[in-house]
């Protein structure tokens, strides 16, 4: 009998490296990556009324209202691939009301990862971030430059990646992080994120492989 798939949450300030670590985690563990920010940007791109509303909050670095976010994430978590392969929830929940709603729907993570990065470094990471619209890969002009000229030429920037907006996003994060942490106290793993992305991943990798090993030893226990 196959062991239960992993269910992981990853949290941290803007540009703490959530998306970057999610790329590495999904490559190795095959979990379904569900990013609240990506779901919202897809909603904006679809031109829907919810997307239009969401953008107003994102422009101000504030949390998008629960009426828009909660069911959007729940629907994605409920899809077959997430149930079968396990999930990696990125940037959700960001408030106690979101955490409570998730619990009410029956979604409990095995591990809550918090990436901790000093604030001055976060701003530099935000401003230098670039995205490849073709592959979805995350780059940084200094820390993770594009591999080829062709990729470099097509890179884009997020509309909320200015220093001013990043500071507002950081403020929102600082206002909410303690509330969320208190809901997952017993399963929280804090990781210093001010290291190379490989070093950060090595810590996460160790934790996840230990969890899987435990499970494979005792597949019927929790
Ligand atoms: P979201 O898209 O989630 O943005 P965020 O939380 O601000 O996080 P980022 O995506 O900016 O950063 P990241 O941690 O993924 O870092 P990355 O790996 O890219 O949310 C956007 C908005 O949507 C929110 O402001 C809010 O309005 C709304 N929203 C989202 N979730 C919501 C929710 N639950 N409820 C309500 N509203 C919600 O890395 C950043 C840069 O650093 C990159 O350039 C990368 O290459 C570089 N980098 C990464 N790791 C390293 C490293 N170890 N060393 C050097 N450089 C590195």
């Amino acid at each position: 009998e196959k062991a239960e798939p992993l269910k992981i949450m990853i949290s941290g300030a803007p540009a703490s490296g959530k998306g970057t670590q999610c790329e590495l985690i999904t490559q190795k563990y095959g979990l379904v990556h569900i990013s609240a920010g990506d779901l919202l940007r897809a909603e904006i791109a679809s031109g829907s009324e919810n997307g239009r509303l969401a953008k107003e909050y994102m422009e101000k670095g504030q949390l998008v209202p629960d009426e828009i976010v909660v069911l959007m994430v729940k629907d994605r978590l409920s899809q077959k691939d997430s149930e079968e392969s396990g999930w990696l929830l990125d940037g959700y929940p960001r408030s106690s009301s979101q955490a409570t709603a998730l619990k009410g729907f029956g979604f409990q993570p095995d591990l809550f990862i918090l990436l901790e990065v000093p604030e001055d470094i976060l701003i530099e990471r935000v401003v230098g971030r670039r995205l490849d619209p073709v592959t979805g890969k995350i780059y940084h002009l200094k820390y993770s430059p594009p591999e080829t000229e062709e990729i470099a030429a097509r890179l884009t920037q997020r509309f909320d990646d200015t220093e001013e907006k990043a500071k507002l996003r950081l403020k929102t994060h600082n206002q909410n992080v303690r509330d969320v942490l208190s809901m997952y106290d017993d399963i929280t793993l804090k990781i210093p994120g001010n290291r190379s992305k490989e070093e950060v991943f090595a810590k996460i990798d160790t934790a996840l492989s230990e969890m899987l090993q435990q499970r494979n030893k005792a597949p019927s226990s929790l």
Side-chain angles (χ1 to χ4, degrees), residues 12-21 35-38 40-41 54 57-58 61-66 69 90-94 98 115 125-126 128-131 138-141 143-144 158 160-161 169 193-198 200:
S16 55
K18 301 182 290 295
T20 299
Q21 293 304 318
S35 153
D38 286 351
L40 287 167
R41 282 181 287 276
Y57 289 86
M58 292 164 81
Q62 292 171 0
L63 293 185
V64 173
D66 284 358
V69 184
D90 164 3
Y92 193 95
R94 290 195 204 215
Q98 290 178 4
L115 299 176
R125 284 195 188 174
V126 164
R129 170 166 48 195
R130 297 294 183 276
L131 302 165
I138 304 164
Y139 291 94
H140 190 282
L141 294 179
Y143 302 116
S144 262
R158 248 167 62 179
D160 56 352
D161 270 355
R169 284 154 59 196
N194 187 19
R195 311 269 170 86
S196 73
K197 66 176 183 183
E198 292 80 12
V200 177

Side-chain angles (χ1 to χ4, degrees), residues 67-155:
E67 293 74 51
I68 295 175
V69 184
V70 167
L71 288 181
M72 194 179 77
V73 173
K74 181 206 173 221
D75 286 348
R76 187 64 192 88
L77 280 167
S78 308
Q79 281 169 30
K80 201 164 169 244
D81 58 346
S82 318
E83 279 182 0
E84 287 179 356
S85 308
W87 41 260
L88 174 60
L89 194 49
D90 164 3
Y92 193 95
R94 290 195 204 215
S95 63
S96 44
S97 65
Q98 290 178 4
T100 306
L102 209 53
K103 215 174 194 173
F105 296 133
F107 294 105
Q108 262 296 107
D110 306 307
L111 184 69
F112 184 94
I113 298 171
L114 179 72
L115 299 176
E116 297 187 299
V117 178
E119 297 202 350
D120 50 329
I121 287 165
L122 294 172
I123 302 298
E124 194 199 1
R125 284 195 188 174
V126 164
V127 177
R129 170 166 48 195
R130 297 294 183 276
L131 302 165
D132 183 347
V134 176
T135 61
K137 229 184 128 184
I138 304 164
Y139 291 94
H140 190 282
L141 294 179
K142 187 165 151 195
Y143 302 116
S144 262
E147 297 89 352
T148 65
E149 281 295 317
E150 191 190 347
I151 298 173
R154 68 184 185 217
L155 293 181

Side-chain angles (χ1 to χ4, degrees), residues 25 27 39 44 51 55 57 60 80 89 94 96 105 116-118 135-136 144 163 168 193 201 205-207 210 213 219:
I25 297 167
Q27 259 170 40
L39 290 175
I44 295 175
K55 192 170 184 192
Y57 289 86
K60 291 184 276 187
K80 201 164 169 244
L89 194 49
R94 290 195 204 215
S96 44
F105 296 133
E116 297 187 299
V117 178
T135 61
S144 262
E163 179 167 348
L168 296 172
F201 179 63
D205 192 14
T206 304
E210 274 170 10
Q213 244 170 19

